[in-house]
Amino acid sequence: KLIKMDYNQKVTNDQSKNLGIDFDGVIHNDDLGFHDGTVYGEPIEGSLESIKLLSNFFNIIIFTAKAKKDRPLVNGKTGAELVGEWLLKHDILKYVSDITAEKPRAFLYVDDKGFRFENWQDTMKFIKSINEI
């Protein structure tokens, strides 16, 4: 039987169960940058063990620009396929619910390029401290 949920119930349920984790710089060391489009790096220390543990409590959703649909194929494979192969190679794919280019609805995002927003004054001060604007 299909359970009909309204929008707020759906979003709330997804957010309470989903943990969004960025791939490059958080799970995969990405030490060469885009390089040749392959997924070549090593796991960041503690990432694989943490995902295994967290998967007992949350749906692990990996988000990455590598999964964007307009990204060229590399060796005939999409970025999402390459990330999936890397996760499989490191025996972690079975703990991951999804690989996406979009930031998922989630209660928390783990991202190496994130900034914790509290107010615009502090945000602007931070941006100015790392970039000449």
Side-chain angles (χ1 to χ4, degrees):
K1 182 178 178 183
L2 184 62
I3 299 172
K4 188 174 180 180
M5 280 193 240
D6 72 16
Y7 176 80
N8 289 331
Q9 287 174 308
K10 174 74 174 147
V11 170
T12 301
N13 287 344
D14 284 354
Q15 287 177 339
S16 68
K17 296 175 188 170
N18 294 344
L19 177 62
I21 304 176
D22 183 26
F23 183 67
D24 289 317
V26 177
I27 299 169
H28 167 263
N29 69 6
D30 195 36
D31 58 348
L32 299 176
F34 180 77
H35 188 51
D36 60 1
T38 59
V39 180
Y40 51 79
E42 294 301 316
I44 289 179
E45 185 178 341
S47 64
L48 305 181
E49 300 79 9
S50 296
I51 289 170
K52 287 177 188 177
L53 176 65
L54 290 167
S55 72
N56 291 312
F57 306 98
F58 304 105
N59 300 319
I60 304 298
I61 301 174
I62 295 176
F63 59 95
T64 176
K66 285 179 169 50
K68 288 197 176 280
K69 295 191 185 319
D70 64 349
R71 181 182 190 270
L73 296 178
V74 176
N75 301 323
K77 297 178 183 172
T78 67
E81 289 172 324
L82 293 170
V83 170
E85 287 179 353
W86 186 94
L87 295 168
L88 183 62
K89 173 185 168 187
H90 293 283
D91 197 31
I92 203 78
L93 183 62
K94 61 189 168 196
Y95 301 103
V96 173
S97 298
D98 196 12
I99 301 166
T100 180
E102 303 300 322
K103 205 172 221 183
R105 286 191 297 254
F107 92 100
L108 181 69
Y109 303 104
V110 180
D111 190 337
D112 61 318
K113 294 184 180 166
F115 173 78
R116 171 97 176 134
F117 176 82
E118 294 189 25
N119 61 63
W120 277 107
Q121 293 78 11
D122 290 344
T123 301
M124 293 302 293
K125 183 177 178 181
F126 174 75
I127 292 171
K128 288 176 183 178
S129 77
I130 62 169
N131 198 344
E132 300 249 345
I133 61 167

